Amino acid sequence: MRNLWLVARHEYRKIAGKKSFLISTIGIPILICLVMGITIVVTLTAMDRRPVGYVDSSGILQLDAQQLLADEQPRLLLVPYPDGTSARAALESGEIQAYYVLPTDYLEAPVAHLYYADKAPSQLARQRFAYFMRANLVQQLPEAYQERVLHGSQLTVRSSDGAREASSDNIVDFAVPFVAVIFFFIAVLSAGGYMFQAVADEKENRTMEVLMTSLTANELIGGKSLGLIAVVLTQLFLWILTLTLAIIIGAQFVPELQAVRVPWALLAVTAVYFLPAYVLIASLMTTVGAAAPETEQGQQISGLLNLLFTFPMFFLAIIFANPNHPFIVLLSIFPTTSFTTILFRWSFTVIPLWQLALSWTLLVITALAGIWLAARVFRLGMLQYGQALSLKGIVATLRAR
Amino acid sequence: MRPIFVVIKHEIVTVLSKRSFWLTTFLLPIFIIVLSFGSQWMAERLFADAGDQELLAETPPDEGHALIGYVDEAGIIVALPPYVSQTLLQQYTDAAAAHTALESGIVERYYIIPAAYLQTGQVFLVEQQYSPLSRFTGVDIMQVLLDYNLSQLATTPALLIDPLPQVISEAVFPATPGEHDSPKDESAAFLVTYATLMIYYIVLSMSSGFMLHSVSKEKENRVAEVLLLSLRPRELMLGKLIGLGAVALLQMGVWLGGSLLALDQGKQVFEIARMIVLPPGFLAWGMFYLLFGYLLYASLLGAIGALAPTARESSQFTFFALMPLMVPLFLMTPFMEAPNGSIAVGLSLFPLTAPVAMMTRMAAATTIPAWQPAVGLVLLALTAYGFVLLSARFFRADTLVSDTSLTWRRLLAEIRGK
């Protein structure tokens, strides 16, 4: 037992004690925020912000567009022109990016014309003009109705048991668990990477030979796993701390962030899935680390293994669109993808209990099988030191009693 | 001269005889297409079906479709639009009755329109299959009903719901007469831009990765020490650079040729393929940009390989070295939206980002000023030349056999020539 703790402590210190651990732990969230921030800024600045003109012969557009759109962000103005000639001149001189023309009989035959230089106006420009049109058209209605028709409704969706609720004006509620899940996921994957490295390194530099004289294989693998779990928890703790601080500070400036609640249910389900998911990835990585003769070759295989776990990331759009799609349900039951899929689906639907029970049971069984496999292959790897383990050899050992 | 040819031949044979090279060359594109386009296609279809679009279609859904309940405390819903089937909806007098109907499976969901709806705009939806995001992104039948009923008092109710039902667009100055005067189909443009971006990024990072791998492997297993007995370090570097460059060209040829062939064949089957138009000279520019881009990055990674004792130790430097290639990947939206905007132009002229950025712009833009690819290429070629010279300085017998670890300080000292 003492040896187990010794290995765990050594492993923890070796990774968490390094300056690079702290830098990468703090650096990853900063880098992600930076890239996202730059992308948003660049996308906004690259947008064509020149005004859109309009020529209204129908007399519908009576409101002052400038006043109506004064508070809309991002800013994009609409400018009236008395006739097509002056609008065209403004387009030719580059003052405006496009202009609409409404004919005199627009109310009877609603066909508008849109003229632009060489590039069709942006989505924002089209939306702004449609909004302006609607704001003018709602003037036909009684005052009590105008605001509703112009701005529509705010839908609040509840689950039938009343336990879950989401509102269209509070998307932040979706975003926070989502961001948390991504970080959690990075942590577990990097732990898998560390595990692989820990086994492969000691094998390559022959420390393993010395270690095996005073430790059993189980103590070594168990100790490494424990140490690495501590590393992951440290990493998660630092990230949650950063995220909480960011939300507390951000809430001073962005009022939407004040509505963020702690997703307790999501945290509970994460806690339940964390251990078996971690054990599964760590045992698979140990197997690869023990079987591959060279670190480099093992890295290629571990890259492929990572893919088994990252697979649901490619289907995020489907999880958003239809979280109960049969394919997504399949991903939530399959052991390597269940952890991520369940966590992603959590915010967007109520997952039936049978799916949770089935996926968790399968995950636990696979994780236990993973440990068994890792221990066997590790022992075989020790016996055939320095040689590449063939798949055939591994299968033969697994079959042997 | 002969040793260089031997190195070239060796590098080409080594890479081409690897199974992993052929697997990547043929399987990677399939993999990327399936994962990115397949999932996107599926998601688009799902988003199109999301919400209540099918309930509003001209042919109403089957009889078996579960009902949608509503409790209208505000008294707004008095009539149904002609395109909404009467049999779809069931009104309840209060929320308790609607909830009982939900629990017994008579309705799949129910809406509550509170009495203060006109002031607050709040509508509540309780559903059996809780999936809020698809409700928010798709068409919602209750919003359609509310809009319809509220706008009935107007003289032109249909225009209130859709103020611009028909817009005839016209480009006053089409970019260039002939090929590009019609606006490109958006999904076709996206396809070409995305494919160009990915192909350039992957070919450049992979081929320069071969260089790093090849150098550090020979350093690690000490073959370099033996090699240096019979050839000069720079001959080794030049041989590797040319040999692996040939491999990169081959890979590019397979991918580009495959894409063009697929495009040509696809024209008969897919409409989208007919809308894809590549700018004139795209292939010629593409080859030059690939060549100089390869020289630049391969010499950069080769230099790192020569200085670092093992491949693993070089990984953090490799990440930084390849970072400029990733920039256009992160900034894909501005490239699509404004290929002639200042950011896209700036990145396509800056030598380290130019190979990926310029080709992506050429694929995305209808036209780009002719001087820009030329200036970009000259700048890229000059920088690549500079990097090859710099890298040659690092390829020395002492660096190739040394085990000194690579640190930022050492790197700076080497660059300064100390």
Side-chain angles (χ1 to χ4, degrees):
Chain A
M1 204 55 193
R2 209 184 134 257
N3 288 341
L4 186 88
W5 290 116
L6 215 58
V7 175
R9 209 171 61 192
H10 166 76
E11 211 56 51
Y12 181 77
R13 282 199 187 152
K14 200 174 87 184
I15 296 173
K18 269 191 204 160
K19 223 193 296 171
S20 64
F21 171 76
L22 206 66
I23 293 173
S24 69
T25 303
I26 304 288
I28 287 175
I30 294 177
L31 192 72
I32 291 177
C33 293
L34 208 69
V35 167
M36 270 164 52
I38 291 176
T39 313
I40 292 171
V41 169
V42 164
T43 311
L44 286 180
T45 45
M47 202 191 289
D48 193 345
R49 301 282 194 85
R50 284 177 300 162
V52 172
Y54 62 88
V55 180
D56 175 29
S57 311
S58 66
I60 304 171
L61 305 177
Q62 295 297 327
L63 293 178
D64 182 353
Q66 250 69 312
Q67 211 180 338
L68 181 79
L69 302 172
D71 297 333
E72 298 285 330
Q73 287 297 335
R75 227 169 140 68
L76 192 142
L77 292 177
L78 299 176
V79 183
Y81 288 92
D83 50 52
T85 329
S86 52
R88 175 100 179 201
L91 182 70
E92 283 176 9
S93 68
E95 273 172 51
I96 53 175
Q97 53 169 310
Y99 67 93
Y100 283 92
V101 176
L102 302 186
T104 40
D105 59 346
Y106 189 75
L107 286 179
E108 294 79 46
V111 180
H113 284 262
L114 168 64
Y115 299 94
Y116 53 88
D118 61 342
K119 194 173 177 297
S122 61
Q123 187 74 12
L124 176 77
R126 288 163 190 261
Q127 279 170 356
R128 232 9 102 69
F129 187 71
Y131 174 76
F132 176 56
M133 293 259 318
R134 196 173 287 126
N136 279 284
L137 289 164
V138 293
Q139 303 299 320
Q140 305 169 358
L141 292 174
E143 213 175 314
Y145 283 34
Q146 288 180 9
E147 163 73 11
R148 251 338 21 95
V149 173
L150 190 58
H151 290 120
S153 318
Q154 274 173 7
L155 189 65
T156 303
V157 183
R158 278 189 197 138
S159 60
S160 60
D161 57 2
R164 306 281 295 275
E165 187 176 295
S167 170
S168 55
D169 59 352
N170 198 0
I171 296 295
V172 181
D173 267 359
F174 288 107
V176 171
F178 187 72
V179 173
V181 169
I182 292 192
F183 277 117
F184 197 78
F185 182 58
I186 298 176
V188 173
L189 273 189
S190 59
Y194 286 140
M195 190 70 202
F196 163 75
Q197 204 74 38
V199 178
D201 267 356
E202 278 169 11
K203 220 179 119 181
E204 213 174 39
N205 63 20
R206 309 261 160 182
T207 313
M208 194 74 92
E209 291 168 28
V210 183
L211 285 177
M212 291 318 283
T213 56
S214 43
L215 288 173
T216 64
N218 287 348
E219 277 173 341
L220 186 69
I221 298 291
K224 278 184 189 296
S225 308
L226 270 183
L228 289 175
I229 278 202
V231 171
V232 178
L233 291 179
T234 313
Q235 207 161 24
L236 281 175
F237 173 74
L238 286 174
W239 281 342
I240 290 173
L241 198 72
T242 319
L243 194 69
T244 317
L245 280 179
I247 289 176
I248 292 174
I249 296 169
Q252 314 285 324
F253 306 100
V254 187
E256 280 83 5
L257 285 178
Q258 285 165 5
V260 172
R261 280 154 291 171
V262 180
W264 290 114
L266 183 75
L267 282 183
V269 87
T270 311
V272 169
Y273 271 83
F274 170 69
L275 196 65
Y278 169 77
V279 169
L280 178 64
I281 194 163
S283 59
L284 289 181
M285 290 297 175
T286 311
T287 312
V288 175
E294 276 176 51
T295 315
E296 198 189 311
Q297 204 180 341
Q299 255 162 357
Q300 286 171 358
I301 307 173
S302 68
L304 283 177
L305 270 183
N306 271 349
L307 198 70
L308 277 181
F309 288 84
T310 36
F311 197 63
M313 295 289 235
F314 294 102
F315 298 95
L316 274 183
I318 301 174
I319 299 179
F320 291 161
N322 185 356
N324 292 313
H325 191 275
F327 178 64
I328 300 299
V329 173
L330 190 77
L331 286 185
S332 8
I333 291 170
F334 191 73
T336 59
T337 50
S338 62
F339 172 55
T340 332
T341 319
I342 293 274
L343 292 194
F344 278 135
R345 273 176 80 196
W346 193 263
S347 313
F348 305 118
T349 187
V350 174
I351 305 171
L353 202 62
W354 70 265
Q355 288 179 18
L356 286 174
L358 181 64
S359 82
W360 191 78
T361 318
L362 280 179
L363 180 63
V364 170
I365 294 173
T366 325
L368 291 176
I371 296 178
W372 177 78
L373 178 79
R376 286 251 159 166
V377 173
F378 186 79
R379 241 172 273 148
L380 179 72
M382 288 310 301
L383 287 173
Q384 302 186 356
Y385 211 83
Q387 296 172 30
L389 295 192
S390 65
L391 198 63
K392 220 161 132 191
I394 292 176
V395 173
T397 323
L398 295 182
R399 279 202 187 147
R401 286 294 315 143
Chain B
M1 217 35 202
R2 203 179 152 265
I4 294 185
F5 285 116
V6 177
V7 176
I8 294 175
K9 197 176 135 199
H10 168 76
E11 290 300 332
I12 295 178
V13 171
T14 315
V15 177
L16 294 192
S17 58
K18 270 189 196 162
R19 213 190 309 163
S20 63
F21 171 79
W22 294 106
L23 281 179
T24 348
T25 307
F26 288 103
L27 286 187
L28 194 70
I30 298 174
F31 192 68
I32 290 176
I33 289 170
V34 169
L35 280 189
S36 50
F37 288 111
S39 66
Q40 201 172 345
W41 174 77
M42 253 172 101
E44 263 172 26
R45 264 189 40 189
L46 284 173
F47 270 117
D49 292 344
D52 299 323
Q53 198 64 51
E54 61 170 31
L55 300 182
L56 302 170
E58 283 189 12
T59 47
D62 314 339
E63 286 290 306
H65 196 282
L67 288 170
I68 296 166
Y70 67 93
V71 181
D72 184 11
E73 292 167 0
I76 288 171
I77 298 177
V78 286
L80 295 185
Y83 45 83
V84 173
S85 162
Q86 188 80 48
T87 54
L88 266 179
L89 295 150
Q90 174 70 50
Q91 187 170 11
Y92 292 94
T93 47
D94 55 54
H99 201 79
T100 318
L102 180 78
E103 295 206 318
S104 58
I106 300 172
V107 295
E108 55 163 31
R109 58 183 140 132
Y110 66 88
Y111 293 86
I112 300 172
I113 305 155
Y117 170 73
L118 282 179
Q119 290 83 48
T120 63
Q122 276 287 351
V123 175
F124 295 95
L125 163 64
V126 184
E127 60 180 352
Q128 207 57 277
Q129 281 261 345
Y130 176 76
S131 66
L133 205 65
S134 40
R135 288 273 161 246
F136 300 148
T137 47
V139 178
D140 185 64
I141 193 165
M142 190 46 66
Q143 188 61 57
V144 173
L145 290 188
L146 288 167
D147 280 347
Y148 177 80
N149 280 281
L150 288 176
S151 52
Q152 286 311 303
L153 289 176
T155 37
T156 54
L159 269 191
L160 264 191
I161 293 163
D162 182 8
L164 288 161
Q166 197 185 346
V167 178
I168 299 172
S169 304
E170 190 185 316
V172 179
F173 320 109
T176 37
E179 278 185 279
H180 288 299
D181 54 355
S182 61
K184 275 201 211 176
D185 178 79
E186 268 180 32
S187 44
F190 174 79
L191 196 77
V192 175
T193 315
Y194 185 74
T196 312
L197 186 70
M198 286 314 276
I199 290 181
Y200 270 82
Y201 171 71
I202 295 175
V203 170
L204 283 176
S205 57
M206 259 182 67
S207 56
S208 49
F210 285 148
M211 182 74 184
L212 173 75
H213 181 136
S214 158
V215 176
S216 52
K217 191 168 182 187
E218 279 168 14
K219 230 186 125 170
E220 257 176 80
N221 62 17
R222 312 266 161 189
V223 173
E225 289 172 27
V226 183
L227 285 177
L228 289 180
L229 290 176
S230 40
L231 45 69
R232 281 194 297 260
R234 284 174 198 184
E235 286 175 336
L236 181 67
M237 174 190 142
L238 208 61
K240 281 183 189 298
L241 212 56
I242 297 172
L244 295 171
V247 174
L249 275 180
L250 173 78
Q251 195 169 37
M252 184 70 161
V254 171
W255 286 355
L256 218 57
S259 318
L260 291 178
L261 198 72
L263 200 65
D264 194 46
Q265 291 292 313
K267 277 188 178 156
Q268 283 128 36
V269 190
F270 302 108
E271 190 163 349
I272 194 164
R274 278 192 285 274
M275 295 182 195
I276 293 174
V277 189
L278 288 175
F282 183 79
L283 287 182
W285 284 117
M287 279 300 144
F288 280 116
Y289 270 94
L290 175 78
L291 196 69
F292 288 112
Y294 163 76
L295 281 179
L296 198 163
Y297 278 97
S299 53
L300 193 62
L301 292 204
I304 294 175
L307 291 176
T310 60
R312 215 172 325 133
E313 247 186 68
S314 60
S315 62
Q316 57 162 321
F317 296 92
T318 320
F319 176 74
F320 281 104
L322 290 180
M323 197 107 110
L325 279 183
M326 292 177 217
V327 173
L329 220 60
F330 293 137
L331 301 178
M332 188 155 166
T333 325
F335 272 88
M336 297 288 303
E337 290 278 320
N340 283 329
S342 50
I343 286 159
V345 173
L347 286 177
S348 64
L349 292 178
F350 179 64
L352 291 181
T353 46
V356 178
M358 183 64 83
M359 295 321 292
T360 309
R361 258 186 78 204
M362 286 180 99
T366 40
T367 44
I368 59 174
W371 63 269
Q372 286 180 3
V375 171
L377 191 65
V378 171
L379 289 176
L380 175 65
L382 287 176
T383 319
Y385 180 67
F387 271 89
V388 172
L389 288 187
L390 189 73
S391 168
R393 266 181 34 201
F394 297 164
F395 262 80
R396 299 188 309 263
D398 63 319
T399 55
L400 285 176
V401 296
S402 97
D403 261 346
T404 323
S405 63
L406 182 59
T407 58
W408 289 103
R409 196 178 292 168
R410 184 176 159 221
L411 192 68
L412 279 178
E414 288 283 353
I415 293 171
R416 285 203 213 112
K418 284 182 188 161

